[in-house]
Every structure is written in C-alpha cells, then in structure tokens.
Amino acid sequence: MSFLPMIVIFVLFYFMLIRPQQKRAKEQQAMLAALAKGDEVVTSGGMAGRITKVNEQYVTLELADGVEILFQRAAIAARLEKGTIKNNK
C-alpha cells in the first residue's frame, strides 16, 4: 500500500515530462534527417539561411549572397517555410 503513491508519482512524471520530451527529440531527429538543399533553416545560434550543400554530418548555409558557412546538422534548430528569408530582407 505504501508503494502506491510512488507508482502514481512515477506515472505522472512519465506522462507529463519524459514522454513529451522523447516525442520532441524524435521530431527533431526526423527534421534533421529530412534536410535537403534549398531548405530555409534557423540555427540554434539564431542565424537564418538557405541550405546549399548537405552531407552526413554537416550542412552549408548561404546567409547572404556569396556568404556560406559550414554548420553541424545538430546546430539546426528549425526549418522555415519557403520564402521566409526572402520576405524578411
């Protein structure tokens, strides 16, 4: 009987903390795996650019005309809708 509160607390932690975090991690991994040339992305440092080259561990982003920087795939925080960067210049 004294184990019941501990079990309830663990179940609550699982459904409120652990499970949503695992879901977000899976979504992030799927997004990183689906990156392709031409996608517009934002890095974890806040830089926005268009992907020009993609390989297994790195992506090359074009931040401005003629300015390309190499980033690790893990540094990509989010994918933007097409035309987002062009509309904000």
Side-chain angles (χ1 to χ4, degrees):
M1 195 69 167
S2 64
F3 287 114
L4 185 61
M6 293 296 284
I7 293 171
V8 170
I9 290 172
F10 179 75
V11 169
L12 284 174
F13 270 112
Y14 177 77
F15 283 107
M16 296 186 76
L17 297 175
I18 298 170
R19 190 168 176 232
Q21 186 175 7
Q22 288 175 340
K23 184 179 177 184
R24 276 193 302 272
K26 282 183 184 180
E27 289 172 355
Q28 180 73 6
Q29 289 297 325
M31 186 269 301
L32 291 176
L35 290 176
K37 183 178 177 180
D39 287 345
E40 295 178 358
V41 296
V42 174
T43 67
S44 56
M47 292 188 174
R50 182 173 291 109
I51 296 176
T52 58
K53 297 177 191 169
V54 179
N55 69 24
E56 200 169 306
Q57 291 184 341
Y58 298 97
V59 296
T60 302
L61 294 184
E62 182 180 31
L63 303 177
D65 293 334
V67 179
E68 292 186 349
I69 299 181
L70 187 68
F71 285 92
Q72 290 183 330
R73 272 186 183 243
I76 305 300
R79 183 186 300 166
L80 302 173
E81 293 182 26
K82 297 280 185 187
T84 302
I85 295 172
K86 187 176 182 180
N87 293 337
N88 289 325
K89 283 188 177 180

